[in-house]
Amino acid sequence: MDKPKTDRQFRPLPVPSVELSGLFGDRQDAICDSTAETLLDRCVEAGMVRAIDVSQSSPGIVIPLQPWAGSTQMFWDSDLGKSIETVAYSLYRRQNPELEARVDAIIDMYEKMQDDDGYLNAWFQRVQPGRRWTNLRDHHELYCAGHLIEGAVAYYQATGKRKLLDIMSRYGDYMIKVFGHGKGQLRGYCGHEEVELALVKLSRVTAEKKYLDLAKYFIDERGTEPNYFTEEALRDGRDPKKFIQKTYEYNQAHEPVREQTKVVGHAVRAMYLYSGMADIATEYNDDSLTAALETLWNDLTTKQMYVTGGIGPAAANEGFTDYYDLPNESAYAETCASVGLVFWANRMLGRGPNRRYADIMEQALYNGAMAGLSLDGKTFFYENPLESAGKHHRWIWHHCPCCPPNIARLLASVGSYMYALADDEIAVHLYGESKAHFEIGGAKIELSQNTRYPWDGAIHLAVAPDGPARFAISLRIPEWADGAAIKVNGEALDLLSVFVDGYARIEREWRSGDHVDLDIPLKTRALWANPMVRQDAGRAALMRGPLVYCVETTDNGEGLNGIELAGDVSKATTCEIAELEGAVALDLPVLRDKADWGSALYRTSPPTARKATARFVPYPFWDNRSPGEMLVWVRAGASSGE
């Protein structure tokens, strides 16, 4: 069919417009039960709340020494902002007056701390007040502002309370005066991108275009010559060549964003930048930004991304190295980076549904990101390796606690990533038990999904407008979903006749009682890596639906590297694991090295093998039971996906 016009603008449904149950609902319940309160508790224990309390003396440059802590305080505002955002989203699902009161008290502290001109930053007001705006490259000032803005928007939408939103709007107005090309203004931008996407959220909630314009300014200015970070260092008496990362590629400021073709540097910074660029491309219909982003997307997803949607293999720069460098056991693959990839992918859908982005969004969400939070919502991963010898486990906090509130706020708001709305169309990007409420052309509509996805591929969608309404529903058909079928009101639909960029676009007059049945086969499949990925040579990974699977000692005993796939993996049998909240596991025949090698380190004959059955569990749920080894890429043997 003809493709729809390309200047459409799709925006995510607001979080309160989507009710969730199923797997995502369980994740949100864990956040309501444990994570939201845990985040605030840890912020208090680390000293973050005291740092913004002007009734107490300045904490100074003192690093707290709790057994799990040791954060630098310079970007603590960002952790408070993300924690407030998480609490806000949790309040949509479950009211919690005590948590709300705790956040209100924190907001009161920020109100008292804010300068008359609107400036707000705990470090540069309470610890180093003379250093404001002197080192944007390293000091996270605008990054902190961005996370507080996001927290403010979420909290206003959740509670109707404007105080933090007004505080951050004043800060935004102040930033508009500070940054730009006018006389006396700074032509700078943040070393750690984030404020750009936050300003878009602020603009959308306040209907003030000036915040959009500031976000666009930061994006347009980045990487232009003369480089601001060089000029800033010289003005501050610093040698611009002497900084820890030694290259502006680290924060994607090495060249103008529209000229960048390779994903480089710090992974989280890159994802936040590209997210902001995609938002601005949508809001301004900017094809030049979209073209640059498409090039960068291809670079990342074909050369630099783990099968889990993890990105950034190196700890040294928390980011990217060489093409096809994807080590498994030493993988950094920061939780925040996969969260950022979900952000970016979701925003790439702002100009229209396209499964090249939505498939990766789903893959990164379910695997690289969701692995970062335990099933009980109390412990976290910072790094997400694809292999463990048994020593990698979740922790209750981290000396750099950016990941806990980041994965929590993503999962607590995930309903907003499932649906996106244009003037005449609703796009369903992700599947899961849910109800979405929205308006098109003045009609109020409820669209509900009845499904056990991702454990089962049968999805029943019920449409309930308050009167007959003509619009399109676009349903993503994943690239891996061979044999997908669709029916409207029980009548089979020719999928190819409505297929647009990987979505089934069904445009008609909808009436209450109409329904769509989508069947997505969830056949177990084996994946092989590009031969350039030397770490995965001779190995395969298993996926079922959007989920990557792994083997653990808990189910298979020790010596997981001795497992070799044998036969047709699509014939794997399934069972539900009660300990993993009913997650579907895969059982399939394998060969296993016998434990008869002896004491020799090397010998002239290979190990002998025996037939066995191996159990694979969803990667995001690993390390939720007894500790032990874990492996994603197992020896391929003669296995086949056919």
Side-chain angles (χ1 to χ4, degrees):
M1 65 179 293
D2 293 337
K3 292 183 66 172
K5 59 184 181 179
T6 58
D7 61 349
R8 295 175 302 160
Q9 295 171 311
F10 281 79
R11 297 182 178 91
L13 288 188
V15 174
S17 297
V18 183
E19 306 167 40
L20 290 174
S21 48
L23 172 59
F24 287 142
D26 290 343
R27 301 284 70 229
Q28 291 188 342
D29 284 339
I31 291 167
C32 291
D33 291 340
S34 302
T35 317
E37 184 176 14
T38 294
L39 295 177
L40 291 187
D41 289 346
R42 298 293 180 262
C43 288
V44 170
E45 292 170 34
M48 296 182 192
V49 176
R50 179 178 173 236
I52 63 171
D53 186 354
V54 296
S55 70
Q56 300 190 53
S57 60
S58 167
I61 307 175
V62 177
I63 305 301
L65 297 176
Q66 289 91 346
W68 45 262
S71 307
T72 176
Q73 298 164 330
M74 189 167 281
F75 43 84
W76 272 357
D77 286 321
S78 67
D79 299 316
L80 282 171
K82 283 182 283 188
S83 298
I84 290 170
E85 190 179 352
T86 301
V87 171
Y89 295 142
S90 76
L91 294 176
Y92 292 133
R93 186 167 186 86
R94 187 184 307 164
Q95 290 301 303
N96 189 324
E98 181 182 347
L99 272 187
E100 189 172 337
R102 291 179 67 181
V103 171
D104 287 342
I106 292 170
I107 292 170
D108 288 343
M109 293 179 194
Y110 272 118
E111 183 181 44
K112 292 175 182 176
M113 191 174 73
Q114 186 169 33
D115 285 349
D116 291 340
D117 60 10
Y119 185 81
L120 187 67
N121 184 288
W123 184 271
F124 293 103
Q125 288 176 280
R126 303 262 287 147
V127 181
Q128 291 186 313
R131 296 290 293 160
R132 183 192 301 191
W133 306 135
T134 57
N135 187 350
L136 292 175
R137 185 192 68 197
D138 302 327
H139 285 173
H140 292 70
E141 278 171 279
L142 291 168
Y143 168 81
C144 286
H147 279 304
L148 284 173
I149 287 170
E150 289 197 87
V153 169
Y155 200 66
Y156 165 66
Q157 291 177 327
T159 65
K161 297 176 181 177
R162 292 193 59 96
K163 183 178 286 188
L164 187 57
L165 183 67
D166 290 340
I167 289 168
M168 297 315 298
S169 295
R170 287 195 295 272
Y171 194 5
D173 294 341
Y174 169 69
M175 288 189 286
I176 290 170
K177 296 176 183 176
V178 171
F179 294 98
H181 292 125
K183 184 178 180 181
Q185 288 184 301
L186 298 176
R187 47 167 290 269
Y189 41 85
C190 195
H192 195 313
E193 305 93 321
E194 207 281 337
V195 72
E196 299 86 354
L197 65 92
L199 286 165
V200 173
K201 286 188 176 182
L202 184 61
S203 176
R204 287 173 175 170
V205 79
T206 62
E208 292 281 2
K209 185 173 179 291
K210 60 185 177 181
Y211 302 125
L212 266 186
D213 292 339
L214 180 59
K216 186 176 186 302
Y217 160 79
F218 285 136
I219 286 167
D220 291 344
E221 192 66 24
R222 190 169 207 87
T224 59
E225 292 294 339
N227 193 288
Y228 180 79
F229 292 152
T230 297
E231 291 190 325
E232 172 189 69
L234 293 171
R235 186 166 59 246
D236 195 36
R238 293 179 280 113
D239 183 345
K241 295 181 180 179
K242 288 186 177 179
F243 67 107
I244 187 169
Q245 298 300 337
K246 299 183 177 62
T247 171
Y248 294 149
E249 288 189 351
Y250 175 69
N251 44 33
Q252 300 79 41
H254 55 298
E255 57 189 1
V257 297
R258 291 170 178 81
E259 298 173 18
Q260 296 184 25
T261 59
K262 182 179 180 180
V263 176
V264 295
H266 186 276
V268 179
R269 298 177 198 227
M271 296 304 103
Y272 287 171
L273 170 63
Y274 305 153
S275 296
M277 289 168 62
D279 269 341
I280 294 300
T282 296
E283 294 295 338
Y284 289 85
N285 287 311
D286 189 333
D287 292 337
S288 66
L289 279 176
T290 298
L293 288 166
E294 288 172 346
T295 298
L296 291 164
W297 182 269
N298 192 56
D299 183 80
L300 177 72
T301 59
T302 65
K303 300 181 180 72
Q304 302 195 74
M305 187 185 77
Y306 284 100
V307 69
T308 56
I311 54 174
N317 65 343
E318 294 189 308
F320 302 100
T321 54
D322 299 321
Y323 285 158
Y324 306 110
D325 180 30
L326 296 169
N328 292 310
E329 190 168 12
S330 65
Y332 199 68
E334 184 181 344
T335 297
C336 279
S338 288
V339 169
L341 178 54
V342 174
F343 291 168
W344 179 23
N346 182 255
R347 286 159 171 83
M348 290 298 286
L349 297 165
R351 305 196 75 186
N354 189 320
R355 77 175 178 197
R356 81 181 290 219
Y357 307 119
D359 280 3
I360 297 295
M361 176 172 71
E362 182 179 54
Q363 192 170 343
L365 169 64
Y366 274 102
N367 301 290
M370 194 160 63
L373 181 66
S374 64
L375 288 175
D376 63 10
K378 296 178 180 179
T379 55
F380 312 92
F381 276 145
Y382 193 102
E383 306 97 337
N384 291 278
L386 284 75
E387 178 177 353
S388 171
K391 297 181 180 179
H392 186 78
H393 306 294
R394 289 182 170 84
W395 31 260
I396 61 170
W397 208 237
H398 196 274
H399 68 274
C400 177
C402 53
C403 293
N406 221 0
I407 181 54
R409 69 180 180 136
L410 171 62
L411 291 175
S413 62
V414 73
S416 184
Y417 294 79
M418 297 175 71
Y419 302 92
L421 186 65
D423 291 339
D424 59 353
E425 184 173 345
I426 183 77
V428 184
H429 299 313
L430 300 172
Y431 299 111
E433 186 84 14
S434 58
K435 289 182 180 179
H437 304 271
F438 54 94
E439 290 188 18
I440 289 182
K444 294 183 178 179
I445 301 153
E446 178 183 279
L447 177 64
S448 61
Q449 291 189 50
N450 186 344
T451 179
R452 292 188 64 247
Y453 190 90
W455 313 126
D456 188 288
I459 301 156
H460 178 83
L461 298 104
V463 188
D466 61 2
R470 186 171 187 83
F471 60 94
I473 299 177
S474 284
L475 304 174
R476 179 177 61 96
I477 311 299
E479 187 176 11
W480 45 262
D482 292 338
I486 195 164
K487 294 180 180 179
V488 178
N489 294 336
E491 297 273 337
L493 189 66
D494 178 10
L495 201 52
L496 289 179
S497 70
V498 294
F499 201 66
V500 182
D501 291 333
Y503 281 67
R505 187 176 192 272
I506 309 167
E507 184 175 1
R508 55 177 283 155
E509 183 177 81
W510 297 94
R511 297 173 180 269
S512 186
D514 286 345
H515 58 273
V516 180
D517 287 287
L518 174 62
D519 184 63
I520 298 178
L522 298 182
K523 184 173 69 171
T524 303
R525 60 197 189 277
L527 277 73
W528 284 263
N530 185 309
M532 295 289 287
V533 184
R534 61 192 183 282
Q535 296 92 344
D536 298 333
R539 294 178 177 262
L542 296 188
M543 291 191 73
R544 181 178 185 267
L547 291 162
V548 173
Y549 276 72
C550 66
V551 282
E552 285 192 274
T553 297
T554 305
D555 305 299
N556 301 286
E558 296 180 348
L560 300 181
N561 263 304
I563 294 175
E564 180 179 303
L565 296 176
D568 185 352
V569 302
S570 69
K571 298 291 196 299
T573 58
T574 60
C575 64
E576 295 186 5
I577 306 296
E579 289 178 284
L580 298 179
E581 297 185 354
V584 169
L586 306 175
D587 291 331
L588 66 162
V590 296
L591 297 175
R592 286 200 76 160
D593 292 347
K594 291 182 178 178
D596 59 356
W597 183 269
S599 60
L601 185 58
Y602 307 101
R603 74 182 195 190
T604 57
S605 59
T608 55
R610 60 181 173 85
K611 291 182 178 180
T613 298
R615 171 160 290 179
F616 290 73
V617 297
Y619 171 81
F621 292 174
W622 84 276
D623 197 49
N624 272 284
R625 298 172 294 171
S626 56
E629 299 175 44
M630 182 277 294
L631 187 64
V632 168
W633 290 95
V634 298
R635 287 156 50 187
S639 65
S640 169
E642 298 299 330

